[in-house]
Amino acid sequence: MLTTEQLCGLSNSHVQQVAGERDGIRLQETVAQAYQAMREAAAQAGVSIAIASAFRDFQRQRAIWNRKFIGEAPLYNDHGDQLDHQQLTTGEKIDAILTWSALPGASRHHWGTDFDVYDPRPFASGKQQLQLVPSEYQPSGPCHAMHQWLRQHAREFGFFFPYARYQGGVAAEPWHLSHCALATEAHSALSQSTLQQCLQQHDIQGKDYVLERLADIKQRYVDTICRADIAPEDVWFG
C-alpha cells in the first residue's frame, strides 16, 4: 500500500529506474518486471516497445498544469482540436486541461504503476519527433503495429488501458498502460479527502475553483476509467 505522499507524487521512494529504458524512467519494481517481460515477448514477435513517460512527481505535474492554465502551452478539446485560450472561462480551461493532463496530486503517473508507450524505431533517426497524439497510433501511424500487439497481449502481463475510449472525462489515450493490480489498489486508496488535503497544502493555478469542484473533477477525470477486463476489440484503435 502506498503512503499518502507516494499517492500524490510527493515522494519517489516507491519507484526505481527501469532497466533498458532511458535514464529517469521509473516504476514500482513489480511493474517494471512485468513491463520488461512484456517488452521481451513483444521483441520476440518483432514488435518494439519503449516508455516515453512513467513516474511523474507532483512538481512536474504542477508545472505542466500551470503552463497550460496560463496559456504557455496549448489546450485541446476531446477531439484534439486546439482551443483559443483567451476565449475560455476558468472552468473551461480546467476542463480542457483535465481532458489531456491530470490534476497534480491525482495523476496515475504518481503511483509508479502507469506509463506511456511508443514504438521507438520510427523515431530513431531524429527526423520524426514523438508527440503522443492519437494519429500516431492509428492505422497509418508509426505506433500502430505496436498498439495492435498490445491490444491483444498487454493483459497477459497484467496491464490494461485505463483510457481505452473517451467516456466524457479523459480523452482516449492509446499509449497509456496501467498495471491492473497495483494501480487498482492505489486508485482505491486515493480518496477525495486525501486529494483535498494535498491541494490545500500546495499551490496550483485555479486552485480555488478546483477545490470548489473537486468532487465532480475526481468523479469525472480520476474515477471514470475503462474496466481492466475490457475486450481487445473494444480498446481504442483509431
Side-chain angles (χ1 to χ4, degrees), residues 11-25:
S11 170
N12 63 7
S13 59
H14 56 302
V15 295
Q16 63 179 34
Q17 172 68 35
V18 180
E21 297 294 319
R22 62 182 174 80
D23 187 45
I25 297 297

Side-chain angles (χ1 to χ4, degrees), residues 3 37 56-57 70 140 154 167 190 212 218:
T3 67
R56 194 180 302 141
D57 66 18
I70 65 178
S140 60
Q167 299 186 111
L190 184 67
E212 182 179 336
K218 185 174 184 296

Side-chain angles (χ1 to χ4, degrees), residues 20 31 44 49 67 73 77 80 95 119 140 143 172 175 185 193 214 218:
V31 182
Q44 292 176 4
I49 303 175
R67 289 187 68 242
N77 63 20
D95 282 326
D119 183 340
S140 60
C143 299
W175 50 82
E185 182 180 273
S193 61
L214 190 58
K218 185 174 184 296

Side-chain angles (χ1 to χ4, degrees), residues 65 69 90-99 101-107 163 167-170 187 190-192 195-196 199 204-225:
W65 174 277
F69 188 91
T90 294
E92 289 170 338
K93 283 191 287 188
I94 286 173
D95 282 326
I97 296 171
L98 288 166
T99 299
S101 297
L103 178 67
S107 174
Y163 309 119
Q167 299 186 111
V170 178
H187 188 179
L190 184 67
S191 66
Q192 182 180 327
L195 183 55
Q196 181 173 334
L199 292 171
I204 65 168
Q205 293 289 331
K207 175 178 174 177
D208 290 343
Y209 184 91
V210 168
L211 288 173
E212 182 179 336
R213 268 191 62 201
L214 190 58
D216 171 62
I217 287 173
K218 185 174 184 296
Q219 188 280 324
R220 182 177 175 184
Y221 295 105
V222 180
D223 297 337
T224 300
I225 60 172

